[in-house]
Amino acid sequence: MYRRLTTWLVIFFIGLGFTISAAAAEYSQQEVINLTNYLALQKEMPPEKSRWLINALKASYDDPWFKAQIKKQPVRGVFVYSSGEGGFVVKYMKGNGLASFKNGRQKGTIFLSSWSAGAIIGGAATWAVGLVMGLQKESDFGGDYTGKLLQATAADETAPSAMHLTSQKEGKPPHELYILVSSRGLTADAGGTKLNITPCLLYTSDAAD
């Protein structure tokens, strides 16, 4: 009888562990902020840009639209990147960054490219933070994303510029990206945008402190 009780206790605690793990499979607001700080430091982001993005993140978490989005699609990944842009009629961007996932790989290198007609996604020099929302499996991250700029300005850099994009992987459950951009140079609202993200196969295993 003692042996049977022990077996059931083991099964119970294993099940409890799975439940806790599943419940912890999303980032809280504070974890997002801490991880953004950590990744920004690893990416050698200028301190003023890091502070700007953190403040923009905090403002986003107070926004009713964003609250509704993360309630439906929790944040399960965070990435930061830097990029440069060019083009006059058709704008293009190339950049690289670092990404971390809840209960997954940490500080992995990613490469980004983007193009859009009549828009600049950040300016001549861009620093940004992205939240991966509603991701079911880490392996689904990457590929093509389409969406639009939520807000942009050519005059006031303190005004948040954000992108809301949806994954386009065929046969995979869709997930979304919410990207906040801090840039130098002109930023113009433009409508549709397409972004491609390529995760590097070689990831580091360092975890955020």
Side-chain angles (χ1 to χ4, degrees):
M1 187 172 184
Y2 174 78
R3 184 175 299 176
R4 183 178 300 174
L5 177 60
T6 302
T7 301
W8 278 110
L9 284 173
V10 169
I11 293 173
F12 171 79
F13 283 115
I14 289 176
L16 181 62
F18 281 132
T19 302
I20 293 173
S21 177
E26 62 187 73
Y27 285 119
S28 67
Q29 177 180 348
Q30 192 57 53
E31 286 176 320
V32 167
I33 291 171
N34 292 344
L35 187 53
T36 299
N37 271 320
Y38 173 76
L39 293 174
L41 183 64
Q42 299 303 307
K43 194 71 178 64
E44 299 182 345
M45 184 184 296
E48 67 275 13
K49 297 299 181 183
S50 178
R51 287 193 297 270
W52 188 97
L53 290 172
I54 292 299
N55 288 334
L57 274 174
K58 291 177 179 178
S60 293
Y61 272 93
D62 289 332
D63 181 79
W65 175 86
F66 184 76
K67 287 180 178 180
Q69 293 300 309
I70 61 173
K71 187 175 182 179
K72 294 183 295 183
Q73 296 193 309
V75 178
R76 296 194 171 110
V78 177
F79 60 93
V80 302
Y81 69 85
S82 61
S83 67
E85 287 195 350
F88 183 70
V89 177
V90 177
K91 309 299 180 182
Y92 60 87
M93 175 274 283
K94 288 186 178 181
N96 62 80
L98 300 172
S100 291
F101 299 90
K102 187 70 173 182
N103 298 336
R105 295 173 179 176
Q106 303 294 309
K107 207 176 68 173
T109 299
I110 57 173
F111 300 98
L112 305 94
S113 61
S114 176
W115 56 97
S116 55
I120 298 180
I121 300 175
T126 294
W127 292 93
V129 57
L131 307 183
V132 186
M133 300 159 57
L135 186 70
Q136 298 299 311
K137 294 192 301 182
E138 184 185 319
S139 58
D140 291 344
F141 176 71
D144 290 336
Y145 296 83
T146 59
K148 63 180 180 179
L149 294 172
L150 299 179
Q151 181 179 358
T153 176
D156 183 7
E157 190 181 342
T158 64
S161 296
M163 289 184 285
H164 184 221
L165 308 172
T166 302
S167 62
Q168 300 296 317
K169 275 191 175 180
E170 187 175 352
K172 302 291 184 180
H175 61 275
E176 298 180 357
L177 303 181
Y178 179 75
I179 301 175
L180 290 165
V181 178
S182 175
S183 63
R184 296 196 303 271
L186 179 67
T187 303
D189 193 358
T193 296
K194 187 173 183 178
L195 176 70
N196 180 271
I197 299 179
T198 304
C200 182
L201 295 178
L202 298 177
Y203 283 80
T204 60
S205 58
D206 298 351
D209 295 333

